[in-house]
Structures are given as structure tokens and as C-alpha cells.
Amino acid sequence: MVDLQTQYQQIKEDIDTGIQEVIDSAAFVKGKKVQDFAEHLQAYTGAKHVIPVGNGTDALQIALMALGLKRGDEVITPTFTFIATAEVVALLGLTPVVVDVDRDTMNMDTDAVRRAITPKTKAIVPVHLFGQCAAMEELLSIACEHNLYVVEDACQAIGAKYTFSDGHSAQAGTMGEIGCTSFFPSKNLGCYGDGGALFTNDDDLAARIKAIANHGMVVRYHHDMVGVNSRLDTIQAAVLDAKLPHLDEYIAARQKAAAFYDDAFHDNGNLTIPGRAPYSTHVFHQYTLQLGERVCAYRSDIQTQLAEKGIPSMVYYPVPLHLQKAYQDPRYHAGDFPVAEKLAGCVLSLPMHTCLDGEQLEYITENVLRVIKEVCKD
């Protein structure tokens, strides 16, 4: 699904030099490279503050901790997403409130958000799924109307740009009170282990986030609040700092591959290509098709046949949050979120990375179309 080795070979000298500098300095934790990377990512995103942490899930948890939410407060999140979004809500004793998503963009349905707000609602966590921003202008308006916080889960969308109706634009993760991202190796900007970061334009929130991520400590060994231990190690920062100058190039390569897929699949009645929102660029962390009614039941067979031809595929995500065993809730039942449940049964993601070449793309698309055609004969 992702070719990290070829990507490494293309910038091997910069990566190796950065790692060697860290080893030579022996500053493996909180070394200079961490601050350098944070400053460079600030410049790239336009965020006033970038706070690197251990991973994207930590970033989400720390964001909610920094807002001072109390046990029982409700946090609205989409039901069609990776589990981490709801996981941190539950871990903090908050109440996850899930909503359905838009069929085309697969992002949070803003009308569903409005309907889900109660007096206990304190925050909205939109997920910029698969590399495309959720409808942030509307969500920010809803949040302002109801005095709610917005925490962006931008773990799949670093580099995506949102354009507001007045023409100004902003990077994914920089529009709400806090934004969160992940540097998991398969991400568009990925390290060689775990990593994450938080974005904010609020000085007080930035100070609080930094303290929480460092055991709740501002002055050494003086703990002013309950915190955690979450930090981006210096070697990972060196890797990310070497990759960051290439991020726009990586995004362009993914967009080019997505355009090839689009051209191959757009007129096939059994496949629906990813929808594009008019307000957001798409950086294609994943390229996710929706299978038509005739072939949904054969999704596993399609994956098996593609795998036999050396073509990996994945299902992101096969079970919506409200149907996960760990998150069963008497408020929710099968059928309550029809779009998410439909998507869970029909989505299929194809290989997507920065090093896909024309020959590979032709091989993938030809075989996908061939397998779909064979399945439809049955």
C-alpha cells in the first residue's frame, strides 16, 4: 500500500545525515532537531504554535485535556473514522457522541452535528478523512453559535488547504482551537517510528499543551496540572525535517496518481471515485473507492483476487464506531447511521504513495477493472 523504501532512497543522504547528527550529539530526547522541525512546520502550516508529541493519538488526548473538559461532557465526532478519535474521548471520561457522514466526501455531516448538540456538548472533533478537509466553515459557525470548541483531527490531511467563502485559505489543523496530526510512517509526512503534533494559534493553549505533554510541568519538578509523557524523539524529528521540504512534491505525486485512478474508473458503473469538496484540496492519504451495489457482497473476493496479482488493498473502515464492541451504547443501534454503515460495507482503498509510476498504475487499474468485470458476470 505504501512504498517507503523507494521514498527513502530518493532522499537517503539527507535522512542519513540528519540521523547521524543526532547520534553524534547524543541528544536523543528534546534535542535541537525537535525545535528546528517544529519551527519549520510552523512556517509551512502557518500555525502560530506547533508542539511535537509522541503520536497522533496522544495529540488528540492532550488537546482535549488542554481544553479542561470535565467527566460527562459530550464530544461530537463522526462514526466513520479510525477508533483513536473516540478512544481518547472515552479514556478521559468524556462522552463520545457520534454522527453520520456525507456520502460523497465521507466527512462529518454538518446537519447531523447540529442535531446532535445538547446542553452537555462541549466540543466537536471533525476528522479530515483520507486527506480532505471536513466542512470547516460551517462547523466553525456551528461551534461559535453554541460556544463549542473545535479540535481538528488532521492526522490524515497534513498539507490539505481549506478555502473559505471570503477567499482566504488555511491549512488543515490550523482552523479550530487545536489541530492534531500524526507522523505514522504511512502518512503523507511520516517518520520512521511514531510521532505526532498539535497546532494552535492561542498562546495560553500552547503553554498548557506543552506542560501537559511534559508531565504537567512548567518549572522542572513542579507539576501544576495532571499531565502525560509524550514527546517526539530527536531522531524522528530529524527524519521529518528532512522530509518536510518535499511534502508539496509528495502531495503532488499522490494527486497525480489519484487523477490516473479517476480517469480509469470514473465511467464504470460499479465504482464510485472519491468525491471532492469544492472548499478543500485533497492530499490523498488514501484513495478510497466505493463499490456499487452489485459488487459490495464480493469485496473480500475482489481483495483476494487482487492480492493474487500482487496488488494490496485495504478496507478503511469495516465497522463504524457505534457498532464497535468497545463502544456499544444504548443510544445507538444498527441502522441509525445509514451512510456510515453503507460506506463500511462498500469502501475499498487502493495503493497510494509518492512513488507510484505509470506502469504500476496501469497494472493496478487494469486488474481492478478486470476483476470487477469478472465478479459482475456472476
Side-chain angles (χ1 to χ4, degrees), residues 212-228:
I212 290 171
N214 188 31
H215 300 284
M217 183 169 59
V218 178
V219 177
R220 193 169 180 84
Y221 301 130
H222 292 260
H223 305 274
D224 299 330
M225 62 197 78
V226 175
V228 298

mmCIF file with all atom_site columns, all heavy atoms in Angstrom, residues 212-228:
data_model
loop_
_atom_site.group_PDB
_atom_site.id
_atom_site.type_symbol
_atom_site.label_atom_id
_atom_site.label_alt_id
_atom_site.label_comp_id
_atom_site.label_asym_id
_atom_site.label_entity_id
_atom_site.label_seq_id
_atom_site.pdbx_PDB_ins_code
_atom_site.Cartn_x
_atom_site.Cartn_y
_atom_site.Cartn_z
_atom_site.occupancy
_atom_site.B_iso_or_equiv
_atom_site.pdbx_formal_charge
_atom_site.auth_seq_id
_atom_site.auth_comp_id
_atom_site.auth_asym_id
_atom_site.auth_atom_id
_atom_site.pdbx_PDB_model_num
ATOM 1   N N   . ILE A 1 212 ? 1.201  19.889 29.653 1.00 0.00 ? 212 ILE A N   1
ATOM 2   C CA  . ILE A 1 212 ? 0.535  18.590 29.769 1.00 0.00 ? 212 ILE A CA  1
ATOM 3   C C   . ILE A 1 212 ? 1.385  17.494 29.141 1.00 0.00 ? 212 ILE A C   1
ATOM 4   O O   . ILE A 1 212 ? 1.521  16.395 29.694 1.00 0.00 ? 212 ILE A O   1
ATOM 5   C CB  . ILE A 1 212 ? -0.861 18.641 29.122 1.00 0.00 ? 212 ILE A CB  1
ATOM 6   C CG1 . ILE A 1 212 ? -1.800 19.513 29.960 1.00 0.00 ? 212 ILE A CG1 1
ATOM 7   C CG2 . ILE A 1 212 ? -1.442 17.234 28.972 1.00 0.00 ? 212 ILE A CG2 1
ATOM 8   C CD1 . ILE A 1 212 ? -3.131 19.795 29.303 1.00 0.00 ? 212 ILE A CD1 1
ATOM 9   N N   . ALA A 1 213 ? 1.976  17.773 27.990 1.00 0.00 ? 213 ALA A N   1
ATOM 10  C CA  . ALA A 1 213 ? 2.800  16.770 27.305 1.00 0.00 ? 213 ALA A CA  1
ATOM 11  C C   . ALA A 1 213 ? 4.084  16.456 28.067 1.00 0.00 ? 213 ALA A C   1
ATOM 12  O O   . ALA A 1 213 ? 4.739  15.438 27.795 1.00 0.00 ? 213 ALA A O   1
ATOM 13  C CB  . ALA A 1 213 ? 3.139  17.252 25.897 1.00 0.00 ? 213 ALA A CB  1
ATOM 14  N N   . ASN A 1 214 ? 4.431  17.300 29.034 1.00 0.00 ? 214 ASN A N   1
ATOM 15  C CA  . ASN A 1 214 ? 5.662  17.137 29.815 1.00 0.00 ? 214 ASN A CA  1
ATOM 16  C C   . ASN A 1 214 ? 5.322  16.909 31.282 1.00 0.00 ? 214 ASN A C   1
ATOM 17  O O   . ASN A 1 214 ? 5.789  17.609 32.171 1.00 0.00 ? 214 ASN A O   1
ATOM 18  C CB  . ASN A 1 214 ? 6.547  18.381 29.643 1.00 0.00 ? 214 ASN A CB  1
ATOM 19  C CG  . ASN A 1 214 ? 7.924  18.196 30.255 1.00 0.00 ? 214 ASN A CG  1
ATOM 20  O OD1 . ASN A 1 214 ? 8.457  17.081 30.301 1.00 0.00 ? 214 ASN A OD1 1
ATOM 21  N ND2 . ASN A 1 214 ? 8.498  19.287 30.733 1.00 0.00 ? 214 ASN A ND2 1
ATOM 22  N N   . HIS A 1 215 ? 4.446  15.922 31.549 1.00 0.00 ? 215 HIS A N   1
ATOM 23  C CA  . HIS A 1 215 ? 4.075  15.552 32.922 1.00 0.00 ? 215 HIS A CA  1
ATOM 24  C C   . HIS A 1 215 ? 3.386  16.676 33.686 1.00 0.00 ? 215 HIS A C   1
ATOM 25  O O   . HIS A 1 215 ? 3.440  16.717 34.916 1.00 0.00 ? 215 HIS A O   1
ATOM 26  C CB  . HIS A 1 215 ? 5.308  15.099 33.709 1.00 0.00 ? 215 HIS A CB  1
ATOM 27  C CG  . HIS A 1 215 ? 6.020  13.923 33.135 1.00 0.00 ? 215 HIS A CG  1
ATOM 28  N ND1 . HIS A 1 215 ? 5.549  12.624 33.244 1.00 0.00 ? 215 HIS A ND1 1
ATOM 29  C CD2 . HIS A 1 215 ? 7.183  13.829 32.421 1.00 0.00 ? 215 HIS A CD2 1
ATOM 30  C CE1 . HIS A 1 215 ? 6.379  11.797 32.646 1.00 0.00 ? 215 HIS A CE1 1
ATOM 31  N NE2 . HIS A 1 215 ? 7.377  12.491 32.133 1.00 0.00 ? 215 HIS A NE2 1
ATOM 32  N N   . GLY A 1 216 ? 2.771  17.623 32.975 1.00 0.00 ? 216 GLY A N   1
ATOM 33  C CA  . GLY A 1 216 ? 2.121  18.733 33.664 1.00 0.00 ? 216 GLY A CA  1
ATOM 34  C C   . GLY A 1 216 ? 3.100  19.704 34.282 1.00 0.00 ? 216 GLY A C   1
ATOM 35  O O   . GLY A 1 216 ? 2.765  20.424 35.237 1.00 0.00 ? 216 GLY A O   1
ATOM 36  N N   . MET A 1 217 ? 4.287  19.764 33.719 1.00 0.00 ? 217 MET A N   1
ATOM 37  C CA  . MET A 1 217 ? 5.392  20.501 34.346 1.00 0.00 ? 217 MET A CA  1
ATOM 38  C C   . MET A 1 217 ? 5.793  21.709 33.504 1.00 0.00 ? 217 MET A C   1
ATOM 39  O O   . MET A 1 217 ? 6.002  21.605 32.298 1.00 0.00 ? 217 MET A O   1
ATOM 40  C CB  . MET A 1 217 ? 6.582  19.535 34.478 1.00 0.00 ? 217 MET A CB  1
ATOM 41  C CG  . MET A 1 217 ? 7.800  20.087 35.157 1.00 0.00 ? 217 MET A CG  1
ATOM 42  S SD  . MET A 1 217 ? 9.001  18.757 35.526 1.00 0.00 ? 217 MET A SD  1
ATOM 43  C CE  . MET A 1 217 ? 9.344  18.075 33.896 1.00 0.00 ? 217 MET A CE  1
ATOM 44  N N   . VAL A 1 218 ? 5.874  22.876 34.165 1.00 0.00 ? 218 VAL A N   1
ATOM 45  C CA  . VAL A 1 218 ? 6.420  24.076 33.536 1.00 0.00 ? 218 VAL A CA  1
ATOM 46  C C   . VAL A 1 218 ? 7.827  24.322 34.086 1.00 0.00 ? 218 VAL A C   1
ATOM 47  O O   . VAL A 1 218 ? 8.805  24.392 33.352 1.00 0.00 ? 218 VAL A O   1
ATOM 48  C CB  . VAL A 1 218 ? 5.514  25.302 33.774 1.00 0.00 ? 218 VAL A CB  1
ATOM 49  C CG1 . VAL A 1 218 ? 6.142  26.563 33.154 1.00 0.00 ? 218 VAL A CG1 1
ATOM 50  C CG2 . VAL A 1 218 ? 4.127  25.067 33.197 1.00 0.00 ? 218 VAL A CG2 1
ATOM 51  N N   . VAL A 1 219 ? 7.905  24.453 35.412 1.00 0.00 ? 219 VAL A N   1
ATOM 52  C CA  . VAL A 1 219 ? 9.204  24.516 36.092 1.00 0.00 ? 219 VAL A CA  1
ATOM 53  C C   . VAL A 1 219 ? 9.591  23.088 36.464 1.00 0.00 ? 219 VAL A C   1
ATOM 54  O O   . VAL A 1 219 ? 8.763  22.311 36.950 1.00 0.00 ? 219 VAL A O   1
ATOM 55  C CB  . VAL A 1 219 ? 9.101  25.395 37.359 1.00 0.00 ? 219 VAL A CB  1
ATOM 56  C CG1 . VAL A 1 219 ? 10.428 25.409 38.106 1.00 0.00 ? 219 VAL A CG1 1
ATOM 57  C CG2 . VAL A 1 219 ? 8.658  26.808 36.984 1.00 0.00 ? 219 VAL A CG2 1
ATOM 58  N N   . ARG A 1 220 ? 10.840 22.737 36.243 1.00 0.00 ? 220 ARG A N   1
ATOM 59  C CA  . ARG A 1 220 ? 11.286 21.364 36.444 1.00 0.00 ? 220 ARG A CA  1
ATOM 60  C C   . ARG A 1 220 ? 10.941 20.841 37.844 1.00 0.00 ? 220 ARG A C   1
ATOM 61  O O   . ARG A 1 220 ? 11.241 21.481 38.861 1.00 0.00 ? 220 ARG A O   1
ATOM 62  C CB  . ARG A 1 220 ? 12.796 21.271 36.214 1.00 0.00 ? 220 ARG A CB  1
ATOM 63  C CG  . ARG A 1 220 ? 13.312 19.841 36.083 1.00 0.00 ? 220 ARG A CG  1
ATOM 64  C CD  . ARG A 1 220 ? 14.767 19.873 35.593 1.00 0.00 ? 220 ARG A CD  1
ATOM 65  N NE  . ARG A 1 220 ? 15.328 18.539 35.456 1.00 0.00 ? 220 ARG A NE  1
ATOM 66  C CZ  . ARG A 1 220 ? 15.172 17.753 34.398 1.00 0.00 ? 220 ARG A CZ  1
ATOM 67  N NH1 . ARG A 1 220 ? 14.445 18.165 33.372 1.00 0.00 ? 220 ARG A NH1 1
ATOM 68  N NH2 . ARG A 1 220 ? 15.733 16.567 34.341 1.00 0.00 ? 220 ARG A NH2 1
ATOM 69  N N   . TYR A 1 221 ? 10.264 19.697 37.869 1.00 0.00 ? 221 TYR A N   1
ATOM 70  C CA  . TYR A 1 221 ? 9.845  19.001 39.089 1.00 0.00 ? 221 TYR A CA  1
ATOM 71  C C   . TYR A 1 221 ? 8.770  19.746 39.881 1.00 0.00 ? 221 TYR A C   1
ATOM 72  O O   . TYR A 1 221 ? 8.505  19.413 41.035 1.00 0.00 ? 221 TYR A O   1
ATOM 73  C CB  . TYR A 1 221 ? 11.045 18.672 39.983 1.00 0.00 ? 221 TYR A CB  1
ATOM 74  C CG  . TYR A 1 221 ? 12.059 17.799 39.274 1.00 0.00 ? 221 TYR A CG  1
ATOM 75  C CD1 . TYR A 1 221 ? 13.406 18.139 39.259 1.00 0.00 ? 221 TYR A CD1 1
ATOM 76  C CD2 . TYR A 1 221 ? 11.669 16.641 38.606 1.00 0.00 ? 221 TYR A CD2 1
ATOM 77  C CE1 . TYR A 1 221 ? 14.342 17.350 38.594 1.00 0.00 ? 221 TYR A CE1 1
ATOM 78  C CE2 . TYR A 1 221 ? 12.589 15.853 37.939 1.00 0.00 ? 221 TYR A CE2 1
ATOM 79  C CZ  . TYR A 1 221 ? 13.922 16.210 37.932 1.00 0.00 ? 221 TYR A CZ  1
ATOM 80  O OH  . TYR A 1 221 ? 14.833 15.433 37.275 1.00 0.00 ? 221 TYR A OH  1
ATOM 81  N N   . HIS A 1 222 ? 8.131  20.731 39.243 1.00 0.00 ? 222 HIS A N   1
ATOM 82  C CA  . HIS A 1 222 ? 6.962  21.390 39.817 1.00 0.00 ? 222 HIS A CA  1
ATOM 83  C C   . HIS A 1 222 ? 5.790  21.117 38.876 1.00 0.00 ? 222 HIS A C   1
ATOM 84  O O   . HIS A 1 222 ? 5.775  21.605 37.740 1.00 0.00 ? 222 HIS A O   1
ATOM 85  C CB  . HIS A 1 222 ? 7.193  22.899 39.974 1.00 0.00 ? 222 HIS A CB  1
ATOM 86  C CG  . HIS A 1 222 ? 8.218  23.241 41.010 1.00 0.00 ? 222 HIS A CG  1
ATOM 87  N ND1 . HIS A 1 222 ? 7.900  23.651 42.283 1.00 0.00 ? 222 HIS A ND1 1
ATOM 88  C CD2 . HIS A 1 222 ? 9.578  23.197 40.960 1.00 0.00 ? 222 HIS A CD2 1
ATOM 89  C CE1 . HIS A 1 222 ? 9.004  23.863 42.976 1.00 0.00 ? 222 HIS A CE1 1
ATOM 90  N NE2 . HIS A 1 222 ? 10.047 23.591 42.185 1.00 0.00 ? 222 HIS A NE2 1
ATOM 91  N N   . HIS A 1 223 ? 4.822  20.342 39.347 1.00 0.00 ? 223 HIS A N   1
ATOM 92  C CA  . HIS A 1 223 ? 3.749  19.855 38.483 1.00 0.00 ? 223 HIS A CA  1
ATOM 93  C C   . HIS A 1 223 ? 2.458  20.597 38.802 1.00 0.00 ? 223 HIS A C   1
ATOM 94  O O   . HIS A 1 223 ? 1.843  20.383 39.849 1.00 0.00 ? 223 HIS A O   1
ATOM 95  C CB  . HIS A 1 223 ? 3.588  18.339 38.661 1.00 0.00 ? 223 HIS A CB  1
ATOM 96  C CG  . HIS A 1 223 ? 4.873  17.600 38.425 1.00 0.00 ? 223 HIS A CG  1
ATOM 97  N ND1 . HIS A 1 223 ? 5.275  17.196 37.181 1.00 0.00 ? 223 HIS A ND1 1
ATOM 98  C CD2 . HIS A 1 223 ? 5.863  17.239 39.282 1.00 0.00 ? 223 HIS A CD2 1
ATOM 99  C CE1 . HIS A 1 223 ? 6.444  16.590 37.266 1.00 0.00 ? 223 HIS A CE1 1
ATOM 100 N NE2 . HIS A 1 223 ? 6.833  16.616 38.536 1.00 0.00 ? 223 HIS A NE2 1
ATOM 101 N N   . ASP A 1 224 ? 2.059  21.477 37.905 1.00 0.00 ? 224 ASP A N   1
ATOM 102 C CA  . ASP A 1 224 ? 0.914  22.352 38.130 1.00 0.00 ? 224 ASP A CA  1
ATOM 103 C C   . ASP A 1 224 ? -0.407 21.729 37.683 1.00 0.00 ? 224 ASP A C   1
ATOM 104 O O   . ASP A 1 224 ? -1.475 22.242 38.020 1.00 0.00 ? 224 ASP A O   1
ATOM 105 C CB  . ASP A 1 224 ? 1.108  23.680 37.397 1.00 0.00 ? 224 ASP A CB  1
ATOM 106 C CG  . ASP A 1 224 ? 2.347  24.423 37.885 1.00 0.00 ? 224 ASP A CG  1
ATOM 107 O OD1 . ASP A 1 224 ? 2.694  24.253 39.074 1.00 0.00 ? 224 ASP A OD1 1
ATOM 108 O OD2 . ASP A 1 224 ? 2.946  25.153 37.079 1.00 0.00 ? 224 ASP A OD2 1
ATOM 109 N N   . MET A 1 225 ? -0.346 20.673 36.909 1.00 0.00 ? 225 MET A N   1
ATOM 110 C CA  . MET A 1 225 ? -1.554 20.026 36.410 1.00 0.00 ? 225 MET A CA  1
ATOM 111 C C   . MET A 1 225 ? -1.246 18.562 36.123 1.00 0.00 ? 225 MET A C   1
ATOM 112 O O   . MET A 1 225 ? -0.079 18.167 36.040 1.00 0.00 ? 225 MET A O   1
ATOM 113 C CB  . MET A 1 225 ? -2.044 20.718 35.131 1.00 0.00 ? 225 MET A CB  1
ATOM 114 C CG  . MET A 1 225 ? -1.064 20.651 33.977 1.00 0.00 ? 225 MET A CG  1
ATOM 115 S SD  . MET A 1 225 ? -1.394 21.841 32.668 1.00 0.00 ? 225 MET A SD  1
ATOM 116 C CE  . MET A 1 225 ? -0.728 23.356 33.393 1.00 0.00 ? 225 MET A CE  1
ATOM 117 N N   . VAL A 1 226 ? -2.281 17.759 35.994 1.00 0.00 ? 226 VAL A N   1
ATOM 118 C CA  . VAL A 1 226 ? -2.080 16.360 35.616 1.00 0.00 ? 226 VAL A CA  1
ATOM 119 C C   . VAL A 1 226 ? -1.676 16.319 34.151 1.00 0.00 ? 226 VAL A C   1
ATOM 120 O O   . VAL A 1 226 ? -2.334 16.910 33.294 1.00 0.00 ? 226 VAL A O   1
ATOM 121 C CB  . VAL A 1 226 ? -3.362 15.536 35.839 1.00 0.00 ? 226 VAL A CB  1
ATOM 122 C CG1 . VAL A 1 226 ? -3.188 14.115 35.319 1.00 0.00 ? 226 VAL A CG1 1
ATOM 123 C CG2 . VAL A 1 226 ? -3.727 15.529 37.311 1.00 0.00 ? 226 VAL A CG2 1
ATOM 124 N N   . GLY A 1 227 ? -0.575 15.632 33.881 1.00 0.00 ? 227 GLY A N   1
ATOM 125 C CA  . GLY A 1 227 ? -0.090 15.570 32.515 1.00 0.00 ? 227 GLY A CA  1
ATOM 126 C C   . GLY A 1 227 ? 0.220  14.152 32.076 1.00 0.00 ? 227 GLY A C   1
ATOM 127 O O   . GLY A 1 227 ? -0.147 13.180 32.745 1.00 0.00 ? 227 GLY A O   1
ATOM 128 N N   . VAL A 1 228 ? 0.893  14.053 30.958 1.00 0.00 ? 228 VAL A N   1
ATOM 129 C CA  . VAL A 1 228 ? 1.336  12.774 30.399 1.00 0.00 ? 228 VAL A CA  1
ATOM 130 C C   . VAL A 1 228 ? 2.777  12.940 29.945 1.00 0.00 ? 228 VAL A C   1
ATOM 131 O O   . VAL A 1 228 ? 3.347  14.028 29.993 1.00 0.00 ? 228 VAL A O   1
ATOM 132 C CB  . VAL A 1 228 ? 0.445  12.338 29.219 1.00 0.00 ? 228 VAL A CB  1
ATOM 133 C CG1 . VAL A 1 228 ? -0.990 12.125 29.658 1.00 0.00 ? 228 VAL A CG1 1
ATOM 134 C CG2 . VAL A 1 228 ? 0.509  13.353 28.069 1.00 0.00 ? 228 VAL A CG2 1
#
